[in-house]
Amino acid sequence: FEDIIGSSFKIQDCINKAKIAANSMSTVLITGESGTGKELIAQSIHNYSSRRKQPFISINCGAIPRELLESELFGYEPGSFTGASSKGRMGKFELADGGTIFLDEIGEMPIDMQVKLLRVIQDRKLTRIGGNNVFDLDVRIIAATNKDLLEQCKNGRFREDLYYRINVLRVNMPPMREHKEDIGELIQHFINKLNVKLNKEIVDISPAAMEKIMSYSWPGNVRELEN
């Protein structure tokens, strides 16, 4: 949590809720706009928990082609489909066994995959594609989204039963425009970081630049500010 920059009430409240979530076994849903630092919060929850010495496995549900997502999550047995490895492959859930799996952009997951994920969350058991063996799973699930999942449920794009399974503990990352008082601290952090990376010795930015920065709404949030 020390890597999360910001002294504002909104950021500190977010960190406090995440610390409470870290000491629980319940599934966590992290919400917030793109670029607010949802993965950093997820990693912090894992590192603050009793599972910190076990794997933290992250998968972006929106970045993997639909036809590959099931094998990425649940693995497959040798030769179970065209192009499959002759040795088979462990999925992300198996790799995360004993630790934490982070399902980023879960709102992008296809409906048919949501059904399979729900079953795994409910039963804590897993069967690889093309396999018969059932694996018991001990995995902490953290999900994140920049979408309004309840609205997605009403529109038939997200399963309501899965929504209530993942929305047990909720951490909401505020957008940059709602905690502008942290911008100065963030800028100093990024200057220090970039000085090391680019071998520079920049101390600060001009008052004119700061005025521009403070008058902007930062729709891309912290990621945009850093860039």
Side-chain angles (χ1 to χ4, degrees), residues 168-222:
V168 180
L169 297 174
R170 181 87 162 261
V171 179
N172 183 52
M173 293 296 289
M176 188 84 262
R177 63 185 173 275
E178 291 183 6
H179 61 108
K180 279 190 166 184
E181 60 268 42
D182 290 325
I183 284 178
E185 203 175 334
L186 283 161
I187 284 173
Q188 200 55 56
H189 169 74
F190 292 137
I191 285 175
N192 295 339
K193 180 179 167 182
L194 289 166
N195 276 340
V196 173
K197 187 177 178 181
L198 304 175
N199 194 27
K200 301 283 186 184
E201 293 182 3
I202 295 163
V203 179
D204 209 341
I205 59 169
S206 70
M210 192 64 181
E211 191 179 332
K212 291 268 190 190
I213 285 168
M214 291 305 291
S215 65
Y216 183 60
S217 63
W218 300 105
N221 297 298
V222 180

Side-chain angles (χ1 to χ4, degrees), residues 49-227:
S49 76
S50 59
R51 294 173 180 257
R52 66 181 70 89
K53 293 182 180 177
Q54 300 302 319
F56 175 87
I57 304 294
S58 175
I59 183 165
N60 187 319
C61 301
I64 296 169
R66 181 192 188 106
E67 59 274 13
L68 296 178
L69 188 55
E70 184 175 3
S71 62
E72 280 288 325
L73 284 173
F74 307 130
Y76 58 84
E77 294 296 343
S80 53
F81 56 86
T82 305
S85 166
S86 58
K87 295 178 182 178
R89 188 177 173 187
M90 291 173 73
K92 293 291 195 283
F93 269 92
E94 275 185 82
L95 290 169
D97 196 32
T100 303
I101 188 164
F102 176 52
L103 303 171
D104 199 6
E105 292 192 30
I106 196 167
E108 304 288 345
M109 184 177 281
I111 285 282
D112 55 332
M113 275 304 304
Q114 293 177 27
V115 177
K116 292 169 183 173
L117 176 62
L118 179 64
R119 197 175 305 128
V120 169
I121 293 174
Q122 284 175 333
D123 302 339
R124 299 286 164 169
K125 293 182 187 297
L126 173 69
T127 306
R128 288 183 185 176
I129 296 171
N132 298 312
N133 294 330
V134 179
F135 300 91
D136 288 323
L137 279 176
D138 172 26
V139 175
R140 171 77 183 276
I141 296 166
I142 302 177
T145 183
N146 58 13
K147 295 187 179 300
D148 183 340
L149 289 188
L150 207 50
E151 191 63 33
Q152 296 273 93
C153 290
K154 290 173 187 171
N155 296 332
R157 289 195 289 268
F158 202 84
R159 289 183 63 96
E160 204 168 303
D161 45 7
L162 178 58
Y163 172 70
Y164 290 119
R165 277 281 176 187
I166 61 172
N167 187 30
V168 180
L169 297 174
R170 181 87 162 261
V171 179
N172 183 52
M173 293 296 289
M176 188 84 262
R177 63 185 173 275
E178 291 183 6
H179 61 108
K180 279 190 166 184
E181 60 268 42
D182 290 325
I183 284 178
E185 203 175 334
L186 283 161
I187 284 173
Q188 200 55 56
H189 169 74
F190 292 137
I191 285 175
N192 295 339
K193 180 179 167 182
L194 289 166
N195 276 340
V196 173
K197 187 177 178 181
L198 304 175
N199 194 27
K200 301 283 186 184
E201 293 182 3
I202 295 163
V203 179
D204 209 341
I205 59 169
S206 70
M210 192 64 181
E211 191 179 332
K212 291 268 190 190
I213 285 168
M214 291 305 291
S215 65
Y216 183 60
S217 63
W218 300 105
N221 297 298
V222 180
R223 185 185 293 133
E224 183 184 6
L225 177 66
E226 179 175 11
N227 289 332

